[in-house]
């Protein structure tokens, strides 16, 4: 047993950094609670398990001697040895840091400061909160110092902020409340009751499609959804639809657009929500000036939707996480869309497969951390087009197998007409031209769902829809008069909807 202790490598203790503060101010600290925690650990071996649910990093302690004591206790716990006054003292002697820890007299004093470990979790959370405040002061102080340095790159400065914040998050992640098994069972019963009492199959964020709402129950919180396709299939068009569906249902949406500009996406939403064709909005303009009234009305409607877009190129996963947290804090987003995964930037010169794997892992982590749905678009490899039917499958995901592993659902968009192939109407409905393939779904079945794609408006719908001209171009356009059989060959200008000929100036 002794040999295992000697060979076990304890984490080096980092001395508490001196923080520059205004005269008379001390860093946030709770020394009495630190001592109570260490005393409780030495009089009750079981207390360590409860403490490690809150934090396991010695940096949380303010006093350096307390850090040494905690490291010794942690080594004893991890090597399955008893924890008491004598074993802790012996461990500190073996590491040559008993004097740094205050000596045996200090250890004896710790055990006399508390009678039991009954409140160790509460004490630990107080100590953790003090550490978080100290860390905030330290990071802010460092940032101010770096900001005054002319040699500091401003983007590296913000990266430093993100890295330091992430380090604190890793420590405090341990302290988050966990749902017990009993609570989880109760939550499951409540969910079933809610589904039973409701006529609506939607339990998550509106997908923008009735068929997908029925299959998925809406996009579910903490899920990472991957939608893959070859270029030209309509990946961005699809997520534009689902973005609008969620926003119109009242759920805020964040959109990380690594490919298109915010203006391009906004133009697509206009085409999606009106009868204007995309060519009219981007190339030709309107044939009649009066169409502008309909355009302005539609734009005013869309302005009220809770949609937030960041179109900066090559954002790293760290920057995406930072933006997602900001969106969640300021706007309480329920859905985050990333278009697309392979375009995200790198923190270094790492292999593209490693980079894409990190991005995929990071997007799933965002979904769990923020309790939102994350949809990541993914490019497929050219191997798809070497097959006779051109239909995508899981092994066609480009660059990384981690995407398939991390995703709760992997879906593909497949339009046979794009390749000049016939639509298989044994698979989808007659009024559809697109296969939405659910190739993996962690919470349910897989299969193919039929959708219809309108190329003129880059818009997906559940089925082919014949939309009327009215209400598309002008907000106050009159009903188009119906011609009688005898008037069938008259021009539309000759057909009057008023029987009073006196009103005709001609």
């Amino acid at each position: 047993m002794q040999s295992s202790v000697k060979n076990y490598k304890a984490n080096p203790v980092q001395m508490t950094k001196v923080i520059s503060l205004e005269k008379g101010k001390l860093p946030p600290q709770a020394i009495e609670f630190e001592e109570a925690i260490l005393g409780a650990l030495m009089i009750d071996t079981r207390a360590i398990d409860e403490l490690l649910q809150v934090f396991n990093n010695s940096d949380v302690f303010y006093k350096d001697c307390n850090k040494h004591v905690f490291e010794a206790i942690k080594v004893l716990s991890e090597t399955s040895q008893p924890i008491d006054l004598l074993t802790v003292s012996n461990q500190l002697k073996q590491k040559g840091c008993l004097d740094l820890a205050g000596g045996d007299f200090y250890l004896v004093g710790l055990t006399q400061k508390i009678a039991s470990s009954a409140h160790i979790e509460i004490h630990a959370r107080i100590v953790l909160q003090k550490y978080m405040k100290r860390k905030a002061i330290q990071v802010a102080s460092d940032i101010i110092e770096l900001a005054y340095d002319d040699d500091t790159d401003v983007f590296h400065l913000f990266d430093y902020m993100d890295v330091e914040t992430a380090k604190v998050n890793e420590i405090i992640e341990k302290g988050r409340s966990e749902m017990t098994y009993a609570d989880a069972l109760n939550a499951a019963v409540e969910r079933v009751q809610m589904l039973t009492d409701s006529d609506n199959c939607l339990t998550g964020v509106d997908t923008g499609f009735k068929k997908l709402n029925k299959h998925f129950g809406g996009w579910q919180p903490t899920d990472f959804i991957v939608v893959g396709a070859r270029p030209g299939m309509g990946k961005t068009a699809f997520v534009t639809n689902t973005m609008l569906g969620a926003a119109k249902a009242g759920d805020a949406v964040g959109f990380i657009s690594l490919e298109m500009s915010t203006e391009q996406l906004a133009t697509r939403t206009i085409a999606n929500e009106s009868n204007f064709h995309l060519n009219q909005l981007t190339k030709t303009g309107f044939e009649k000036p009066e169409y502008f009234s309909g355009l302005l009305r539609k734009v005013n409607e869309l302005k009220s939707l809770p949609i937030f877009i960041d179109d900066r190129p090559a954002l790293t996963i760290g920057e995406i996480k930072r933006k997602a947290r900001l969106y969640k804090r300021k706007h309480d987003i329920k859905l985050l869309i990333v278009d697309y995964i392979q375009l995200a930037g790198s923190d270094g010169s790492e292999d593209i497969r490693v980079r894409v794997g990190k991005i995929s892992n990071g997007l799933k982590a965002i979904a769990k951390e923020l309790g939102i749905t994350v949809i990541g678009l993914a490019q497929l490899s050219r191997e798809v087009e070497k097959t006779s039917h051109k239909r995508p499958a899981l092994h066609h995901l480009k660059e990384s197998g981690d995407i398939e592993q991390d995703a709760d659902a992997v879906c593909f968009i497949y339009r046979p007409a794009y390749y000049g192939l016939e639509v298989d109407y044994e698979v989808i409905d007659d009024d559809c031209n697109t296969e939405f393939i659910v190739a993996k779904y962690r919470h349910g079945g897989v299969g193919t769902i039929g959708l219809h794609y309108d190329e003129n408006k880059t818009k997906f719908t559940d089925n082919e829809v014949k939309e009327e001209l009215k209400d598309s171009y002008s907000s106050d356009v009159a009903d188009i008069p119906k011609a009688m059989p005898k008037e069938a060959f008259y021009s539309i200008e000759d057909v009057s909807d008023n029987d009073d000929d006196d009103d005709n100036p001609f």
Side-chain angles (χ1 to χ4, degrees), residues 464-500:
E464 185 177 10
V465 178
K466 303 293 186 182
E467 297 182 351
E468 297 179 2
L469 183 65
K470 181 184 175 182
D471 197 41
S472 300
Y473 298 116
S474 174
S475 59
D476 54 358
V477 70
D479 289 340
I480 298 175
K482 298 180 181 179
M484 300 302 292
K486 66 179 181 179
E487 301 170 319
F489 297 101
Y490 291 2
S491 67
I492 191 68
E493 289 84 356
D494 295 331
V495 180
S496 173
D497 59 352
N498 195 326
D499 293 334
D500 189 357

Side-chain angles (χ1 to χ4, degrees), residues 297-309:
R297 177 178 55 84
K298 186 56 64 178
V299 166
N300 287 330
E301 289 176 6
L302 293 172
K303 282 180 180 178
S304 63
L305 296 180
I307 295 172
F308 309 96
I309 302 172

Side-chain angles (χ1 to χ4, degrees), residues 21-300:
L21 295 170
E22 294 180 28
K23 187 176 180 180
K25 287 190 175 181
L26 291 174
Q29 54 190 278
I31 303 299
E32 65 279 12
F33 287 101
E34 291 184 12
E35 294 174 347
I37 289 170
L38 296 175
L41 293 176
M42 286 190 283
I43 65 173
D44 186 353
T45 303
R46 298 168 298 177
I48 187 67
D49 296 325
E50 195 168 350
L51 174 70
L52 293 180
Q53 294 300 311
V54 181
F55 65 81
N56 62 1
N57 193 306
S58 61
D59 289 342
V60 173
F61 290 91
Y62 177 71
K63 287 184 68 174
D64 292 335
C65 59
N66 291 341
K67 294 180 182 181
H68 286 290
V69 175
F70 179 71
E71 280 296 332
I73 292 173
K74 198 164 68 163
V75 168
L76 293 172
S77 173
E78 291 171 349
T79 53
S80 301
Q81 295 185 80
I83 301 171
D84 57 37
L85 179 61
L86 295 177
T87 56
V88 172
S89 175
N90 185 58
Q91 178 64 30
L92 288 168
K93 288 176 184 176
Q94 290 181 9
K95 297 303 175 183
C97 54
L98 179 60
D99 290 339
L100 294 174
D104 288 331
F105 181 78
Y106 182 68
L107 296 180
V108 172
L110 291 176
T111 60
Q112 294 175 344
K113 287 182 178 292
I114 194 161
S116 75
S117 63
H119 306 297
I120 191 168
E121 183 180 352
I122 296 173
H123 295 168
R125 293 189 185 281
I126 292 173
V127 170
L128 180 61
Q129 289 174 16
K130 298 296 183 182
Y131 165 75
M132 292 165 62
K133 289 183 177 181
R134 291 198 306 275
K135 193 65 178 176
I137 293 170
Q138 179 200 319
V139 173
S141 178
D142 291 345
I143 289 170
I144 291 171
E145 185 177 345
L146 290 169
Y148 275 110
D149 188 346
D150 290 338
D151 295 331
T152 300
D153 182 273
V154 68
F155 297 106
H156 290 165
L157 180 64
F158 282 95
D159 285 341
Y160 170 79
M161 291 172 56
D162 186 57
V163 169
E164 291 302 314
T165 303
K167 288 179 181 177
V168 178
N169 284 334
E170 288 176 6
I171 293 175
I172 66 176
E173 188 72 26
K174 290 278 185 183
R176 297 196 174 178
S177 300
E178 297 178 358
M179 179 180 282
T180 65
Y181 178 61
D183 290 338
L185 290 174
N186 290 333
V189 172
E190 290 175 3
R191 182 180 178 86
V192 173
Q193 183 66 52
M194 180 268 293
L195 292 172
T196 303
D197 296 340
S198 175
D199 296 330
N200 189 356
C201 65
L202 195 64
T203 59
V205 176
D206 197 321
T207 67
F209 303 92
K210 292 181 180 178
K211 293 179 180 178
L212 299 190
N213 283 343
K214 184 176 181 180
H215 186 88
F216 294 101
W219 303 128
Q220 301 299 318
T222 75
D223 273 4
F224 173 38
I225 312 293
V226 172
V227 178
R230 286 293 293 157
M233 285 289 132
K235 295 187 297 295
T236 304
F238 173 79
V239 289
T240 300
N241 267 92
T242 202
M243 172 182 73
L244 287 167
K248 287 193 291 184
D251 291 324
V253 182
F255 198 119
I256 306 296
S257 180
L258 303 174
E259 185 175 34
M260 289 189 176
S261 69
T262 302
E263 184 179 349
Q264 288 172 322
L265 283 172
T267 303
R268 284 191 173 217
T269 61
I270 297 172
N272 197 291
E273 290 296 298
S274 70
N275 275 353
F276 297 122
H277 289 185
L278 196 60
N279 274 343
Q280 291 176 303
L281 300 173
T282 59
K283 297 177 183 177
T284 65
F286 296 143
E287 296 84 358
K288 297 182 179 181
E290 54 264 32
Y291 292 168
F292 275 101
S293 60
L295 173 65
L296 295 176
R297 177 178 55 84
K298 186 56 64 178
V299 166
N300 287 330

Side-chain angles (χ1 to χ4, degrees), residues 441-477:
Y441 186 34
R442 193 165 281 157
H443 314 305
V446 298
T448 300
I449 301 166
L451 298 175
H452 185 270
Y453 181 68
D454 184 344
E455 292 187 19
N456 289 324
K457 295 192 286 183
T458 62
K459 175 181 180 179
F460 284 98
T461 53
D462 282 289
N463 307 94
E464 185 177 10
V465 178
K466 303 293 186 182
E467 297 182 351
E468 297 179 2
L469 183 65
K470 181 184 175 182
D471 197 41
S472 300
Y473 298 116
S474 174
S475 59
D476 54 358
V477 70

